[in-house]
Every structure is written in C-alpha cells, then in structure tokens.
Amino acid sequence: MAHRFNNIKVFRSRMAAQAVPIPVSNIMLTDSIHKKPIDTEKLGTKDNLVVIVRRNSCDTYSLITGRRDYEIAKRDNITTINAIIVNISRPAFMSNFKKLIDVDKVYIPRDFMNHPPKKEKVDRAICFYKYYGIFDNPITIKLDAKGNKILKDGYARYIAAKKLGVTQIPYKIIGGVHNVKGR
C-alpha cells in the first residue's frame, strides 16, 4: 500500500527498517547546505543514527539529509551509520515535502491526453513511489490567465498518482501566464 509522507521525520522513521549500514567515511557532503560549519559539541548525543543518502560511484554516497546524525557519528568515531539509500538528488527529495497540489486540480492539456506516456514510464513512477513513498521529482505546472494549473511536465508521475490513489502530488510552478488554446 503506497503512503504519503508529510514530513522528513516521518519518512526517516518509517523507512528506517530499510536502512543499511554504510561506512561514515564514504559519505560526502556535496550540497551547499551541508558545507556550512557546524558546532559538533552542541549536537548532544543520539541513539539510532540514520541518514538519507544518494549512492554515487565507487561506493561513495552524497548526504541528502541527516547532517546532525552524520556529524555525531563522525565526532564520536562511529565507523558505520544506518542509511536509507534513495536514487534522487537532494532538491528532488526535498521537493516532496514542500508544495503539494490536489491531483484533481491539475488541468491536463489535450496534447498530453492524446499522447500519453509509455506504460513503462508510468510503471517506473509507480514502482518508485511504492518503494520510497515519494515521487522522484515534482510535476511542473504553469498558471493560465484565470489561475488554472496547467500540467507542463510530469504526466507519467501524474498518471501514477491517479492510479495509486494519491490525492496530492509535489509540484513546482514555472514562468508567467500560459495561454491554453482549444479548451
């Protein structure tokens, strides 16, 4: 049963059972948010350290979230840490916990309906959601002059959400007003 995570803490706690131990030394801080200095003495202690990472090549991982746990492990010379491994970037991961839109409030242009995505693409989006409980990227919408939300990208994820019974999906808005012909 697919479920929707409403915040990162819930995601981490529910996905912790799928976490695998990885060497702390193999985790890299690649995103700019993780480059800021942190006072490790003020972090305190914590049991059950869990981070979320993306696998790179050569058995290295980029930290997605969980810097506090990562820094505690480094400070306390813990050699391995439990990691939930996802295969999306930090911005894509984080977008799942920001703006959500009701799937039924998204207008699908006629061109999309006339040229649906391949079944394999929709199936990949469904499998990803069933495994991680999130989508790999938000859908992209553009507002028309009346404020309608027009789908511009992510039709396979939209169809996957509908098939899964997901009522809200992460989205991002692009550009100015979009004129829709033939509505």
Side-chain angles (χ1 to χ4, degrees), residues 50-75:
V50 178
V51 294
I52 300 171
V53 297
R54 177 177 41 86
R55 185 185 307 272
N56 300 326
S57 58
C58 303
D59 292 326
T60 63
Y61 304 86
S62 291
L63 184 69
I64 301 290
T65 187
R67 177 142 184 227
R68 179 175 183 255
D69 289 12
Y70 166 79
E71 293 291 350
I72 290 170
K74 274 184 51 181
R75 179 197 67 202

Side-chain angles (χ1 to χ4, degrees), residues 88 92 95-96 103 108 117-118 121-126 128-129 134-141 151-166 168-172:
I88 58 177
S95 72
N96 280 276
V103 175
I108 306 303
K118 292 183 179 180
K121 193 170 182 179
V122 175
D123 289 346
R124 274 195 306 271
I126 289 171
F128 191 95
Y129 188 88
I134 59 175
F135 287 101
D136 63 344
N137 277 304
I139 62 170
T140 303
I141 63 172
L151 184 70
K152 295 302 291 174
D153 187 41
Y155 193 33
R157 291 184 297 280
Y158 171 87
I159 292 171
K162 294 288 269 186
K163 286 186 175 193
L164 290 164
V166 173
Q168 293 185 318
I169 190 166
Y171 75 99
K172 64 181 177 183

Side-chain angles (χ1 to χ4, degrees), residues 98-159:
K98 292 183 180 173
K99 292 182 181 179
L100 295 176
I101 188 169
D102 289 338
V103 175
D104 294 333
K105 292 189 178 178
V106 177
Y107 174 79
I108 306 303
R110 198 171 284 148
D111 285 349
F112 279 18
M113 287 189 269
N114 291 338
H115 301 95
K118 292 183 179 180
K119 180 184 179 319
E120 295 83 21
K121 193 170 182 179
V122 175
D123 289 346
R124 274 195 306 271
I126 289 171
C127 287
F128 191 95
Y129 188 88
K130 283 183 175 180
Y131 187 80
Y132 292 110
I134 59 175
F135 287 101
D136 63 344
N137 277 304
I139 62 170
T140 303
I141 63 172
K142 194 164 189 171
L143 301 177
D144 69 7
K146 296 180 182 177
N148 295 313
K149 295 153 183 85
I150 314 299
L151 184 70
K152 295 302 291 174
D153 187 41
Y155 193 33
R157 291 184 297 280
Y158 171 87
I159 292 171

